[in-house]
Amino acid sequence: RLRVTSVCFSADGARLASASFDEKIRVWDTATGALLRTIEASAVRSVHFSPTDNKVLASAGQTDSIVWDVDSGERTRIIAGRHFAVFSPDGRTVATSSVGNVMLLVDAGSRAVRSRMDHTSPVFPSSFSVDGSKLATGCYDGTCKV
């Protein structure tokens, strides 16, 4: 049995996305429990729904972070960074961990890197404050940064 690595509700609560080591993203109907779509993706570590549209961000362990359209199952864009990624509350920024103990803040549309946060060890999943003005990160070395 392969482990589920991440789960995330859609903004309206109608869907749940799950990622697992079998290299699949599954999208579920939360009212019925029905599997709506399976998306083939390599080495998926995390999933995160956009708060503003019907897109889901998947972060792969050995490649870039990918934004998928959950209705079609199509890849819509690739964003720099890997391991873990989350959308900001307004859906315009993606925080993604990258090689070299770095957290990148990337424009979700243009994919331009807006800023970076250097860390002393690999970065765990991060979280934006509700208003999107702050980003909290945690690291393997036991430190947190805001």
Side-chain angles (χ1 to χ4, degrees):
R1 226 183 221 276
L2 296 172
R3 289 183 274 170
V4 172
T5 58
S6 178
V7 294
C8 183
F9 283 102
S10 61
D12 63 4
R15 297 178 184 190
L16 179 78
S18 65
S20 59
F21 284 145
D22 65 354
E23 302 188 345
K24 291 178 176 56
I25 301 165
R26 291 178 177 84
V27 182
W28 308 87
D29 182 301
T30 58
T32 66
L35 178 63
L36 300 174
R37 175 163 304 281
T38 300
I39 300 170
E40 300 287 332
S42 64
V44 180
R45 291 191 179 190
S46 69
V47 289
H48 191 264
F49 269 100
S50 167
T52 59
D53 60 22
N54 197 32
K55 305 285 190 263
V56 67
L57 177 69
S59 299
Q62 300 303 318
T63 61
D64 293 324
S65 297
I66 300 169
V67 179
W68 301 87
D69 181 306
V70 296
D71 289 330
S72 69
E74 297 295 316
R75 179 171 41 188
T76 61
R77 60 189 173 275
I78 298 173
I79 295 177
R82 54 183 167 186
H83 300 301
F84 300 102
V86 295
F87 281 102
S88 62
D90 65 7
R92 291 190 276 179
T93 302
V94 175
T96 180
S97 63
S98 189
V99 177
N101 307 330
V102 174
M103 176 63 72
L104 299 175
L105 293 179
V106 180
D107 184 287
S110 71
R111 298 176 285 203
V113 175
R114 291 182 176 167
S115 64
R116 61 181 277 150
M117 296 170 65
D118 293 311
H119 292 72
T120 57
S121 68
V123 183
F124 279 116
S126 56
S127 179
F128 279 95
S129 61
V130 173
D131 67 2
S133 66
K134 295 181 179 78
L135 175 71
T137 62
C139 296
Y140 284 133
D141 66 5
T143 62
C144 293
K145 287 187 177 186
V146 178

